[in-house]
Every structure is written in C-alpha cells, then in structure tokens.
Amino acid sequence: MLRVEVAYARPDRQEILSLEVPEGTTALAAVKQSGITRIFPEIDPDRNDMGIFGKVIKNPANHPLREGDRVELYRPLKIDPKQARLNRARKKSA
C-alpha cells in the first residue's frame, strides 16, 4: 500500500485528503477513490487538470503514483495568464 494525498483549493477553502492505495494506482483512480468530489461537487476528475507537486500530469489515467505523492486538482483559468499580464501593462501605461 502507498500513502498519497489528493488536494484541491478554491479561494475560500482548501482540502488535502490522505489515503492509502494499492501499488499501481493511477492519479485519476486516487482522485476518484478519495471522495473529494463529495466535498467539491464542481470537480470533474475526468476533465480537471491534475499534477503532482505542481508538475502537470499529461495523462492522469495512466500515471502510476509513488509513495508520498500529492495529486493536485487544478481549477480552470478564468483568463489566460498572458492576457492578464497584457491587461495589467496597459493599465499601468494609461
């Protein structure tokens, strides 16, 4: 068994759930097993981007976890970071 964590954060609340999973469990399977969707119903494990300690996982359904991994679920961006920087720069120069 591996000890892993599943984490999700909103501006108003964050949760980090610890769980034990069998070796070979994927990131996607751990998220579904964790029950985090009962706390945050807006999460869709099949669509939300995920990462391990800040590094994005391209295919969570095929990414096996290791002891101590923390699977992070990412919220969709409201605005592209490049566009946000451009907007701030325009505001400063105005």
Side-chain angles (χ1 to χ4, degrees):
M1 295 295 271
L2 305 173
R3 191 152 229 8
V4 298
E5 296 177 328
V6 174
Y8 183 73
R10 292 189 311 212
D12 64 323
R13 181 178 182 191
Q14 83 170 27
E15 290 288 332
I16 300 175
L17 305 175
S18 296
L19 63 148
E20 286 190 11
V21 295
E23 284 196 41
T25 298
T26 65
L28 180 62
V31 167
K32 289 181 177 182
Q33 215 176 311
S34 73
I36 200 155
T37 56
R38 287 191 297 274
I39 301 168
F40 300 104
E42 69 269 21
I43 295 173
D44 180 350
D46 295 310
R47 292 183 182 256
N48 279 76
D49 288 334
M50 296 180 200
I52 304 285
F53 293 116
K55 186 173 181 185
V56 175
I57 303 169
K58 297 233 186 276
N59 192 347
N62 292 330
H63 186 91
L65 297 176
R66 297 186 302 213
E67 177 68 30
D69 277 352
R70 181 180 66 222
V71 181
E72 301 162 340
L73 291 141
Y74 304 128
R75 290 179 285 132
L77 296 175
K78 291 183 179 181
I79 185 171
D80 176 53
K82 291 178 186 176
Q83 186 62 48
R85 280 193 299 276
L86 182 61
N87 292 349
R88 285 192 303 271
R90 285 181 178 156
K91 198 182 256 186
K92 263 187 184 177
S93 65

